[in-house]
Amino acid sequence: MVMLFDSLPVIQYLEIDYYYVKNLAIGGVPKRLPITLNHLIYPVLSGICFRELDEVSFVLCLIKSSPNLAKLIIQACVLEPMVIDDPVLELLYAQEWSDISLNQLRRVHMYNISRTRSELEFIKLLLAKSSMLETMLIEPDW
């Protein structure tokens, strides 16, 4: 995964789907990339399953490594609301976010949200770290 992003240091728009996230996560996901994606302002992540630890780890890694995000779009995979998502919740609670600020993030659009605890904690985290957020559109899966 790291080698891919080493070759894309000036990318501004990045669209990644579920299958690619799964492949990138093989072998583990670092907390932060060794390079900073200063130019990435608009990632689109499709089919992210908020009960899968490796997928949420990838999303957090990408966010931590991209300090100038302006717009973030995440299409979640549809989940049953009663699914227990403890490993993902532990990750979201345990992440060290004191050195992260999403001061450039203005718009977030998340859709297919199933209202699981892990999705709600992720949304809460974005709200806490995005001081300049203007619009957050959350669309449930119903």
Side-chain angles (χ1 to χ4, degrees):
M1 176 176 89
V2 172
M3 290 173 43
L4 168 74
F5 289 102
D6 267 345
S7 62
L8 303 173
V10 295
I11 192 163
Q12 294 181 355
Y13 172 83
L14 179 66
E15 188 168 344
I16 298 179
D17 70 5
Y18 164 82
Y19 297 105
Y20 207 72
V21 169
K22 278 299 203 189
N23 286 326
L24 287 174
I26 292 173
V29 178
K31 289 184 179 182
R32 186 188 295 263
L33 294 171
I35 65 163
T36 302
L37 300 172
N38 286 318
H39 298 279
L40 183 60
I41 57 172
Y42 184 14
V44 176
L45 308 171
S46 301
I48 302 299
C49 184
F50 279 88
R51 78 170 154 221
E52 295 292 329
L53 188 59
D54 57 348
E55 293 179 41
V56 175
S57 295
F58 170 78
V59 172
L60 294 173
C61 174
L62 186 65
I63 288 172
K64 279 186 158 189
S65 302
S66 308
N68 296 314
L69 294 181
K71 184 175 182 180
L72 175 63
I73 295 179
I74 298 177
Q75 174 210 359
C77 70
V78 178
L79 297 173
E80 291 296 320
M82 301 308 277
V83 170
I84 297 173
D85 42 17
D86 287 341
V88 174
L89 286 173
E90 288 176 24
L91 173 70
L92 290 168
Y93 294 147
Q95 280 292 336
E96 182 54 46
W97 290 96
S98 62
D99 64 336
I100 301 300
S101 63
L102 297 169
N103 291 333
Q104 304 302 316
L105 190 60
R106 304 261 193 255
R107 295 177 182 204
V108 174
H109 181 186
M110 294 180 68
Y111 57 101
N112 285 350
I113 299 300
S114 302
R115 301 164 311 278
T116 62
R117 284 183 57 204
S118 57
E119 289 171 338
L120 297 176
E121 286 300 319
F122 181 78
I123 291 167
K124 191 163 110 177
L125 184 95
L126 287 178
L127 288 169
K129 292 298 178 177
S130 305
S131 61
M132 299 302 286
L133 192 65
E134 296 169 355
T135 306
M136 179 176 261
L137 178 60
I138 308 296
E139 294 184 46
D141 62 349
W142 42 282

